[in-house]
């Protein structure tokens, strides 16, 4: 197990050395009694070293909170490291938001980095960020979490690794990301060709001289369909619903850097932006795409105008949803059918925290019931970082969430009046984070928030939880 040093804060003050203890009474499950456990009960465990994990680590460092990080890969960066066997990025992957709207404010990307960086620039950025703030020193690398359980008598948390080592922590911050568990549709019949999920996709080489069907038109699905155009014999894309398409550039500048100076109510922003979009992208229905069944911003928009370009050139055929499979034949709900050699599901991901029971996470519907999508209502020491998605929130928005978590923990450690009041809010309040938008009722939208609404509440609560 690799860990570079044991110092746990920016002042290089040493915390008490770990010691082996015996736990006589523990929670149910795989971590049994009388096993030797490393006592880290004055520390917190941060799970994951992707962008969210790094944001938490940096804020814990700044606020002098003792912690250990755990990462199953050999380095930081999470899914943005294509060499990471658990990564879901592909060779052509780039940001869909511009670097200035995505980067950590305290560590800007260099001028040599393009407006929309690829995964190659991004992994260098995260490694540089971690090196600059010496965040690697806090992490155990090449270690996979096997099990996390609460000790109901002491309110502490057991962490068991696949390697067999066991720890006891004051609290757990789950920052392991949301794009790990592929969502695979259940379609009647059997397809005799090859089926992949976008999580497995790396290169367009797999499409060479094949008839390809992409299922799903999220940002990844559209990216991959454009990739396939250059290698495949034919390319089709199957859609269940219509989408709103946003160009990456407007008047020669990244689209997300234009406007925003005037704050408009939801209905006005939808009306104006929906009208302006038709100027820049046209009507997707003209290219064969179905008419959206929702207004703009009620689902995540597609930041890709190349897919419209190729559809307009006949390189991509747009089809309806799938009814069934029959050998290599795919039957669509409009009654048409075609044969394909390869199907790639770009059908997204499901929230998944495999190392902790769903009942501990108070799972409701398709997500845990956590205050502000962040704090457990039952367990003061259980936090999820990064269980948010929002147009334009970037990594700085997640950094702001990490700062709130750090302030919460500092107040908890000192048992302040602000902490006690905040716990009452955590247990009883259900703030509306939609910003007035009626998001489509899909599992992937269940943890979607309105950026400005979410960040405003984060700022207010951080100000309340002063140190």
């Amino acid at each position: 197990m690799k860990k570079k040093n044991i110092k746990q804060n920016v002042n290089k003050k040493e915390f008490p050395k770990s010691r082996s203890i015996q736990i006589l009474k523990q929670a149910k499950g795989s971590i049994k009694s009388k096993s030797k456990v490393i006592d880290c009960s004055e520390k917190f465990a941060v799970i994951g070293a992707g962008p969210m994990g790094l944001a938490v680590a940096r804020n814990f460092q700044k606020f002098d909170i003792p912690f250990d990080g755990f990462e199953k890969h050999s380095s930081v960066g999470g899914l943005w490291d294509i060499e990471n066997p658990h990564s879901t990025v592909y060779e052509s992957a780039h940001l869909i938001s511009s670097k200035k709207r995505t980067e950590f404010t305290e560590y800007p990307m260099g001028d040599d980095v393009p407006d929309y960086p690829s995964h190659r620039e991004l992994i260098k950025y995260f490694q540089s960020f971690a090196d600059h703030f010496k965040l690697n020193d806090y992490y155990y690398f090449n270690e996979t979490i096997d099990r996390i359980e609460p000790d109901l008598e002491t309110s502490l948390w057991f962490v068991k690794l696949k390697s067999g080592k066991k720890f006891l922590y004051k609290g757990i911050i789950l920052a392991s990301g949301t794009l790990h568990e592929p969502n695979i549709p259940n379609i009647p019949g059997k397809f005799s060709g090859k089926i992949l999920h976008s999580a497995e996709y790396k290169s367009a080489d797999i499409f060479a001289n094949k008839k390809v069907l992409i299922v799903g038109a999220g940002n990844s699905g559209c990216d991959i369909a454009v990739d396939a155009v250059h290698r495949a014999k034919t390319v089709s894309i199957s859609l269940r619903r219509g989408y709103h398409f946003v160009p990456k550039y407007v008047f020669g500048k990244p689209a997300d850097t234009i406007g925003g100076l005037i704050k408009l109510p939801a209905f006005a922003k939808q009306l104006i932006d929906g009208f302006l979009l038709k100027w820049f992208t046209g009507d997707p229905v003209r290219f064969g795409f179905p008419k959206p069944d929702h207004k703009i911003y009620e689902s995540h928009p597609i930041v890709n105008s190349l897919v419209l370009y190729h559809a307009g050139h006949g390189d991509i055929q747009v089809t309806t949803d799938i009814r069934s499979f029959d050998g290599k034949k795919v039957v669509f709900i409009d009654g048409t059918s075609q044969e394909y050699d390869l199907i790639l599901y770009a059908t997204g991901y499901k929230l998944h925290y495999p190392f902790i029971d769903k009942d501990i996470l108070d799972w409701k519907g398709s997500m845990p019931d956590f205050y502000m999508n962040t704090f457990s209502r039952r367990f003061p020491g259980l936090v999820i970082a990064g269980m948010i998605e929002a147009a334009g929130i970037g990594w700085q928005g997640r950094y702001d969430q990490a700062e709130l978590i750090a302030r919460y923990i500092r107040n908890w450690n000192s048992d302040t009046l602000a902490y006690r009041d905040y716990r009452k809010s955590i247990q009883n309040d259900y703030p509306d984070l939609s910003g007035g938008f009626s998001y489509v009722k899909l599992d992937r939208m269940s943890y979607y928030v309105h950026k400005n609404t979410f960040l405003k509440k984060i700022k207010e609560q951080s100000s309340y939880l002063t140190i």
Side-chain angles (χ1 to χ4, degrees):
M1 184 159 59
K2 179 182 177 183
K3 193 165 186 294
K4 294 186 179 178
N5 74 44
I6 61 172
K7 297 183 183 292
Q8 294 295 321
N9 61 54
V10 291
N11 295 321
K12 300 301 180 183
K13 172 185 174 184
E14 278 201 40
F15 287 87
K17 293 182 179 179
S18 297
R19 63 191 184 278
S20 293
I21 63 173
Q22 288 196 342
I23 306 300
L24 299 179
K25 294 181 179 180
Q26 301 183 23
K28 65 179 182 179
S30 61
I31 307 177
K32 292 300 183 181
S33 62
K34 297 186 179 180
S35 300
K36 285 191 175 181
V37 179
I38 300 172
D39 183 7
C40 300
S41 56
E42 296 180 358
K43 297 182 182 180
F44 293 80
V46 177
I47 314 302
M52 190 70 243
L54 293 178
V56 173
R58 172 59 180 147
N59 275 280
F60 279 17
Q61 180 191 62
K62 286 171 62 178
F63 284 91
D64 200 22
I65 296 171
F67 73 97
D68 292 324
F70 294 90
E71 168 56 48
K72 59 185 176 183
H73 187 44
S74 58
S75 183
V76 303
L79 65 84
W80 288 105
D81 184 355
I82 200 170
E83 300 301 323
N84 181 343
H86 312 287
S87 171
T88 56
V89 300
Y90 36 91
E91 286 184 359
S92 63
H94 289 70
L95 280 181
I96 60 171
S97 55
S98 67
K99 67 177 184 180
K100 292 301 179 185
R101 291 291 183 267
T102 311
E103 65 193 5
F104 294 126
T105 302
E106 70 172 342
Y107 197 75
M109 295 187 196
D111 292 338
D112 59 327
V113 177
D115 293 333
Y116 294 96
S118 74
H119 63 88
R120 289 174 288 275
E121 284 93 14
L122 294 174
I123 189 57
K124 290 178 183 177
Y125 173 71
F126 292 122
Q127 290 172 346
S128 177
F129 179 85
D131 289 341
H132 180 79
F133 294 110
K134 297 181 172 55
L135 299 180
N136 292 293
D137 295 350
Y138 299 87
Y139 272 88
Y140 293 98
F141 291 103
N142 296 308
E143 289 288 0
T144 301
I145 304 296
D146 180 53
R147 190 78 175 162
I148 294 174
E149 294 174 351
D151 178 6
L152 301 180
E153 290 191 359
T154 65
S155 298
L156 299 174
W157 291 84
F158 295 102
V159 175
K160 180 175 179 289
L161 307 182
K162 293 282 189 183
S163 62
K165 292 183 173 64
K166 302 175 185 179
F167 300 82
L168 186 68
Y169 285 98
K170 182 172 183 178
I172 304 292
I173 292 80
L174 303 177
S176 52
T178 60
L179 304 178
H180 296 292
E181 183 72 6
N183 179 39
I184 306 295
N186 184 18
I187 298 173
K190 185 175 181 180
F191 182 67
S192 60
K194 187 171 185 178
I195 293 180
L196 296 172
H197 188 274
S198 58
E200 305 169 85
Y201 172 71
K202 295 300 175 186
S203 165
D205 291 345
I206 64 169
F207 299 133
N209 204 36
K210 289 183 172 62
K211 296 178 180 178
V212 175
L213 175 64
I214 310 296
V215 180
N219 283 287
S220 293
C222 289
D223 279 355
I224 295 170
V226 171
D227 284 354
V229 162
H230 304 289
R231 300 298 306 275
K233 184 181 294 184
T234 65
V235 180
S236 301
I237 187 165
S238 170
L239 303 179
R240 180 175 296 180
R241 59 172 39 85
Y243 295 86
H244 296 276
F245 291 82
V246 178
K248 284 194 168 183
Y249 285 94
V250 174
F251 302 126
K253 295 182 179 181
D256 59 3
T257 65
I258 304 295
L261 295 177
I262 301 175
K263 305 303 180 184
L264 298 171
F267 77 90
K269 185 170 178 60
Q270 288 176 311
L271 181 66
I272 294 171
D273 289 1
F275 177 73
L276 291 175
L277 266 186
K278 289 187 177 180
W279 279 11
F280 295 105
T281 61
D283 186 355
V285 175
R286 285 191 59 248
F287 304 104
F289 290 87
K291 183 178 180 180
D293 58 0
H294 58 277
K295 298 176 182 178
I296 189 171
Y297 304 127
E298 292 180 348
S299 181
H300 206 71
I302 307 302
V303 188
N304 186 320
S305 50
L306 285 176
V307 71
L308 300 179
Y309 172 91
H310 284 292
H313 285 70
D315 301 327
I316 297 174
Q317 178 189 5
V318 181
T319 71
T320 59
D321 198 11
I322 298 172
R323 175 181 293 166
S324 63
F325 296 139
D326 181 9
K328 282 196 171 185
K329 184 168 70 174
V330 177
V331 182
F332 299 98
I333 60 172
D334 64 358
T336 62
S337 64
Q338 291 190 54
E339 289 194 353
Y340 296 96
D341 303 305
L342 187 153
I343 293 175
L344 187 142
Y345 290 133
T347 46
Y349 299 84
K350 297 181 287 188
L351 284 178
H352 190 53
Y353 301 98
F355 37 72
I356 186 167
D357 287 343
K358 279 191 170 185
D359 59 344
I360 294 172
L361 293 176
D362 293 321
W363 208 281
K364 290 185 179 178
S366 55
M367 66 177 289
D369 174 25
F370 274 37
Y371 177 71
M372 293 287 292
N373 291 15
T374 307
F375 300 102
S376 170
R377 299 183 188 275
R378 283 196 295 153
F379 301 103
L382 182 58
V383 176
I384 299 180
M387 191 176 67
I388 52 171
E389 187 58 73
I393 198 165
W395 295 315
Q396 184 56 40
R398 291 169 170 83
Y399 186 100
D400 293 344
Q401 183 195 31
E403 180 178 338
L404 175 63
I405 294 168
R407 288 179 177 274
Y408 164 82
I409 288 174
R410 282 292 299 270
N411 277 269
W412 179 27
N413 285 342
S414 300
D415 193 26
T416 65
L417 180 60
Y419 164 74
R420 296 179 195 177
D421 286 344
Y422 194 66
R423 278 304 303 173
K424 292 177 183 177
S425 296
I426 289 173
Q427 292 167 337
N428 301 308
D429 293 351
Y430 292 81
D432 181 5
L433 303 177
S434 70
F437 294 94
S438 299
Y439 297 123
V440 295
K441 305 300 182 184
L442 297 172
D443 286 354
R444 65 179 175 84
M445 297 296 295
S446 61
Y447 53 98
Y448 208 87
V449 300
H450 177 245
K451 179 187 74 171
N452 292 340
T453 301
F454 183 77
L455 295 182
K456 180 180 178 182
K457 290 186 179 294
I458 288 283
K459 184 177 180 180
E460 292 171 351
Q461 294 173 13
S462 289
S463 297
Y464 180 71
L465 293 170
T466 54
I467 306 301

